[in-house]
Amino acid sequence: MICFVASALDRADVDAIYDKSIKPVLRELGIRCTRVDRVEHNDDIDDKIFALMEAADFCIADLTHARPSVYYEAGYMLGRGKPVIYTARDDHFRAKDSDLHGNLRVHFDLQMKNIIPWSAATNAFASKLKRRISKVVASMLKARRTAQEHLQHEQAFAKESISVQLSLLRTCAKGMFRARGFSEKPGSSRGFDSRPRQLLAVTRRNKRSHQGINFIPIHRLTKSQAIPEWALSFYRPDVDGKVQRVEQVFLYATLKKITDAALRSIFERLTPVEPYILERRFSRSVENGEKEPPTTVRVAVLSDVRSVSEFKQRLKTLLKRLNYE
């Protein structure tokens, strides 16, 4: 792991804190540190700085003497998604009448950061810096492990046939629905056009509302493969007179990516309410003149599914957005 150190150069106090505290702490933690004036090179100085920042995993930015280059480098690292640990000499946290140009104070835009103060290369500063670096590094390593696990899951999922991938998604969704009190409807393995498919229909009663999910894992969603809009509007569950509201979600999980714009064109009569979620409300009378409970039909899509673990997390988030927890 590599740490890029941004600081004022050719300043005795800053050089001392680097040589006696920052560099030894990093070495103790097994982290290589780079500071541009301590690296032998024959490059343009700006090119070398960018190369060092690109190679680094995180940054220590010492704000002492308010060097603009340090603020720029810290911002660059943050923009690249890399953590920045801030340090500053302890007299830089309050204004001084003699400091007309603000060169001995942390600028206002970083004053709210959790900056580690120092007055000299003391054991107390080294200990605090070590704890902060250890915390940052632990989070980075955890994120890397998680990313590696996701990659392994994606690779394993990609090796399966399309039919197996769809079956895995159906099984995962079925377990998640059951855990939320939904039960499977008989015959839900057949679609609205009576052809066998992976469709899974589940329902639950929630107070005086009837909630249903029609889950359809599919390789690619096109207008010809989508459930027709007329079928959505005519689909009604059998409910008793106590039900005051019916909610139906037609949830697609696609292996291939579909854009939100393409989804809207497929279901052009439904109203977009969020990205990848559309809805329409229905209310109609039956033969005896009584009205059926109002029905809200939603179409939602989880696009470009890469693994079961990723799908599970995305489905959990979607159900929360739909108030189907």
Side-chain angles (χ1 to χ4, degrees), residues 65-66 92 99-107:
H65 302 298
H92 279 49
D99 183 27
L100 300 180
H101 302 290
N103 292 329
L104 298 177
R105 189 182 184 191
V106 174
H107 290 180

Side-chain angles (χ1 to χ4, degrees), residues 58-62 83-87 114 116 129 132-134 136:
F58 68 102
C59 172
I60 293 177
D62 186 82
V84 177
I85 297 171
Y86 297 97
T87 63
N114 191 12
I116 305 175
L129 181 63
R132 185 71 57 83
I133 293 172
S134 298
V136 168

Side-chain angles (χ1 to χ4, degrees), residues 8-52:
L9 305 180
D10 297 324
R11 297 277 188 167
D13 55 347
V14 177
D15 287 345
I17 206 71
Y18 174 78
D19 290 325
K20 298 179 181 179
S21 290
I22 295 176
K23 189 175 180 179
V25 166
L26 289 168
R27 186 188 300 117
E28 183 182 348
L29 294 173
I31 300 170
R32 183 160 66 92
C33 62
T34 57
R35 201 176 85 163
V36 68
D37 65 328
R38 302 297 180 91
V39 176
E40 190 65 40
H41 65 90
N42 193 39
D43 305 323
D44 178 284
I45 185 69
D46 291 334
D47 292 341
K48 189 60 180 180
I49 290 172
F50 281 114
L52 292 175

Side-chain angles (χ1 to χ4, degrees), residues 55-261:
D57 298 287
F58 68 102
C59 172
I60 293 177
D62 186 82
L63 306 177
T64 309
H65 302 298
R67 300 304 303 149
S69 58
V70 174
Y71 282 80
Y72 178 85
E73 290 156 10
Y76 182 88
M77 292 293 281
L78 288 173
R80 299 292 288 169
K82 301 180 180 184
V84 177
I85 297 171
Y86 297 97
T87 63
R89 204 172 70 193
D90 61 4
D91 62 349
H92 279 49
F93 296 90
R94 51 193 177 277
K96 305 173 186 65
D97 294 338
S98 59
D99 183 27
L100 300 180
H101 302 290
N103 292 329
L104 298 177
R105 189 182 184 191
V106 174
H107 290 180
F108 74 94
D109 51 347
L110 289 183
Q111 288 175 6
M112 300 306 293
K113 296 292 185 181
N114 191 12
I115 303 169
I116 305 175
W118 57 267
S119 59
T122 62
N123 290 335
F125 170 72
S127 296
K128 183 173 291 188
L129 181 63
K130 183 179 179 180
R131 289 195 299 271
R132 185 71 57 83
I133 293 172
S134 298
K135 184 176 181 62
V136 168
V137 169
S139 297
M140 293 172 61
L141 293 176
K142 182 179 179 181
R144 288 184 182 181
R145 287 193 297 269
T146 300
Q148 183 63 30
E149 290 173 0
H150 287 168
L151 178 60
Q152 292 172 351
H153 292 162
E154 288 181 7
Q155 292 172 339
F157 188 73
K159 291 179 181 179
E160 302 290 353
S161 66
I162 292 175
S163 60
V164 170
Q165 290 176 351
L166 298 179
S167 294
L168 290 172
L169 298 184
R170 188 182 191 276
T171 300
C172 177
K174 184 177 180 179
M176 293 182 67
F177 297 152
R178 183 185 295 119
R180 287 161 175 78
F182 287 90
S183 57
E184 186 174 1
K185 293 170 59 179
S188 67
S189 62
R190 303 187 72 83
F192 286 85
D193 54 6
S194 299
R195 290 178 297 180
R197 61 169 69 185
Q198 293 280 1
L199 184 142
L200 169 66
V202 296
T203 62
R204 76 176 181 186
R205 183 76 169 267
N206 184 14
K207 295 182 179 179
R208 295 190 177 183
S209 68
H210 174 95
Q211 296 178 327
I213 301 176
N214 303 281
F215 175 68
I216 310 110
I218 193 169
H219 180 224
R220 187 191 306 271
L221 181 59
T222 63
K223 196 173 186 68
S224 63
Q225 293 175 315
I227 295 175
E229 288 183 332
W230 63 262
L232 305 184
S233 62
F234 279 94
Y235 182 73
R236 293 291 190 277
D238 294 326
V239 296
D240 56 41
K242 296 180 180 180
V243 172
Q244 298 179 351
R245 184 174 69 255
V246 175
E247 301 173 3
Q248 289 289 329
V249 176
F250 292 83
L251 171 57
Y252 293 89
T254 70
L255 302 180
K256 292 294 184 180
K257 183 177 178 60
I258 180 174
T259 65
D260 185 46

Side-chain angles (χ1 to χ4, degrees), residues 250-307:
F250 292 83
L251 171 57
Y252 293 89
T254 70
L255 302 180
K256 292 294 184 180
K257 183 177 178 60
I258 180 174
T259 65
D260 185 46
L263 176 64
R264 295 182 184 190
S265 68
I266 293 174
F267 298 98
E268 56 188 356
R269 292 184 177 85
L270 274 66
T271 302
V273 291
E274 290 185 41
Y276 292 97
I277 299 179
L278 307 95
E279 75 173 27
R280 188 172 178 183
R281 300 175 185 273
F282 300 95
S283 182
R284 66 179 183 178
S285 300
V286 293
E287 293 181 357
N288 60 8
E290 295 182 359
K291 284 190 175 182
E292 290 184 343
T295 300
T296 300
V297 172
R298 296 187 181 93
V299 171
V301 172
L302 294 175
S303 170
D304 194 23
V305 176
R306 303 289 185 88
S307 70

